Structure formats: C-alpha cells, structure tokens
C-alpha cells in the first residue's frame, strides 16, 4: 500500500476519474485499480519492478572530437553516449526534461552517489503544490525513490543523471531537467564514468 501511495504522489495522480502520468502514455484507472497505457494495455507488476530499459544499450560509431570518458547527451534523440577509445560510444536510452525544462550546456561530474536520497528544491515543491501535488521535503534512497539506484551530479547545478523506478518513461520528455536512465543502465554508466568527466548536453 505504501508503494502504491508513493507512486501516485510522485507521478502526480489523483483518484478522481482517470488521471494521466507525466509521460502522457500511462493512466491510472481507479475503476479497475490498475495502471494502463492509453491503448488499454495494462502495466503489470513486473513492469513496475523492472530495472531494464525499453531501449537496449549498444556500441555505435561516434565522433572522435570528444575525449574518451566524456558523456554526450543528445536531448532530441533521447540518447546518452559514453565515449570510448576507438571512435565508438556506448549508447543508452534516456528520459529528458519536459517542455520548459530542457537545457543545454557543458558540466563536469561533481560527485556520484549510490541509492541517492531526494530533496526536491523548494521551487519545485511550491510549483507542484500549486497543482495539487505534494512532494516530500526529503526522501531516503531506495527502490521507491524517483532518483533510482545511482546518481551522477552535474557541476553545482541541481541537475543529475540518475536512475528511475519508472523505466517505461525512458525515451520521453518527462523530467524537470534531470537526465533519467533505467536503473540497469545507470548502474552500468556509474561504473564507467569518473568524477571530473565532461558532460555535454546538446
């Protein structure tokens, strides 16, 4: 029950009628008490627990102007590239900032965290409260936490590359500016990326 309530709060649900999740493709139907896609395909408990991305990671040819170990995020593609040494990169599917929250720039990874806690900025809490979504002041790390299994912090900004407990949102414009990865993928990237590495958001 606690997980059910947390998921409703984090996705901005209400229980009056059918309500839509932020990715636009998922709805909660209180009549059937189930998550459903707009097509009517139910989101199963297995999907809710999954750490796998719907977008398989793969090694691809990539431009050589980026130093190996750099991360290149192409928001229009909804893909993140971890640059390798031989003119290739490891490509991952990601979720990016929704309309009004997308950004571009260059930062460095300033720190890394396993199962990070989440402290929503006060501005975010006020913004969400105005539309009836009450966010916690802070939330300890763990499987229910929206930051997922790992986080890579970008400079002194509030942005992160982080995991998610909502893998079905990968490939969408869903966040408040952070780069979202499935837990399996963010764990893989976490093991490769080092503090100080450059991150290019294009």
């Amino acid at each position: 029950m606690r997980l059910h309530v947390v998921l409703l709060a984090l996705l901005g649900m209400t229980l009056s009628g059918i309500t839509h999740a932020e990715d636009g493709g998922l709805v909660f139907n209180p009549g059937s008490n189930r998550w459903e896609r707009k097509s009517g395909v139910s989101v199963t408990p297995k999907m809710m627990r999954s750490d796998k991305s719907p977008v398989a990671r793969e090694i691809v040819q990539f431009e050589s102007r980026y130093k190996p170990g750099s991360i290149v995020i192409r928001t229009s593609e909804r893909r993140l590239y971890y640059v390798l040494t031989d003119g290739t990169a490891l490509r991952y599917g990601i979720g990016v900032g929704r309309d009004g929250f997308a950004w571009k720039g260059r930062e460095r990874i300033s720190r890394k965290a396993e199962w990070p806690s989440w402290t929503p900025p006060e501005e975010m809490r006020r913004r969400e409260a105005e539309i009836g979504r009450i966010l916690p002041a802070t939330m300890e790390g763990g499987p229910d936490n929206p930051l997922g299994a790992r986080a890579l912090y970008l400079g002194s900004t509030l942005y992160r590359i982080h995991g998610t407990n909502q893998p079905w949102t990968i490939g969408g414009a869903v966040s408040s500016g952070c780069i979202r990865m499935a837990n399996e993928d963010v764990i893989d990237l976490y093991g490769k990326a080092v503090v100080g590495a450059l991150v290019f958001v294009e």
Side-chain angles (χ1 to χ4, degrees), residues 19-60:
T19 54
H20 294 258
E22 288 183 9
D23 70 344
L26 192 69
V27 296
F28 180 78
N29 186 339
S32 63
N33 197 36
R34 294 182 69 104
W35 296 92
E36 298 176 354
R37 295 203 179 276
K38 286 183 179 179
S39 64
V41 178
S42 295
V43 177
T44 66
K46 182 178 180 181
M47 291 172 65
M48 296 292 258
R49 293 191 302 267
S50 176
D51 284 333
K52 293 185 179 296
S53 174
V55 179
R57 63 178 180 261
E58 58 182 336
I59 294 177
V60 297

Side-chain angles (χ1 to χ4, degrees), residues 62-68 83 86-88:
F62 199 70
E63 305 164 35
S64 59
R65 64 189 176 100
Y66 296 102
K67 182 179 177 181
V83 182
D86 56 355
T88 64

Side-chain angles (χ1 to χ4, degrees), residues 19-155:
T19 54
H20 294 258
E22 288 183 9
D23 70 344
L26 192 69
V27 296
F28 180 78
N29 186 339
S32 63
N33 197 36
R34 294 182 69 104
W35 296 92
E36 298 176 354
R37 295 203 179 276
K38 286 183 179 179
S39 64
V41 178
S42 295
V43 177
T44 66
K46 182 178 180 181
M47 291 172 65
M48 296 292 258
R49 293 191 302 267
S50 176
D51 284 333
K52 293 185 179 296
S53 174
V55 179
R57 63 178 180 261
E58 58 182 336
I59 294 177
V60 297
Q61 293 297 312
F62 199 70
E63 305 164 35
S64 59
R65 64 189 176 100
Y66 296 102
K67 182 179 177 181
S70 300
I71 292 172
V72 180
I73 295 166
R74 294 188 169 157
T75 55
S76 62
E77 295 179 18
R78 316 283 168 81
R79 297 292 185 270
L80 179 151
Y81 297 84
Y82 177 78
V83 182
L84 302 174
T85 59
D86 56 355
T88 64
L90 187 55
R91 182 172 65 189
Y92 304 84
I94 57 173
V96 300
R98 61 187 185 271
D99 288 347
F101 291 89
W103 61 283
K104 297 180 180 180
R106 187 181 77 168
E107 297 289 343
R108 289 186 182 273
I109 297 174
S110 52
R111 72 182 183 96
K112 299 163 57 176
E114 298 185 12
W115 294 106
S117 60
W118 181 45
T119 303
E122 187 60 33
E123 178 184 353
M124 177 187 288
R125 295 183 68 208
R126 287 197 303 267
R127 183 176 67 242
E128 296 299 305
E130 288 174 358
I131 55 176
R133 300 173 182 170
I134 307 304
L135 299 183
T138 189
M139 186 177 187
E140 292 303 312
D144 295 347
N145 192 299
L147 297 188
R150 303 288 186 273
L152 290 74
Y153 293 78
L154 302 181

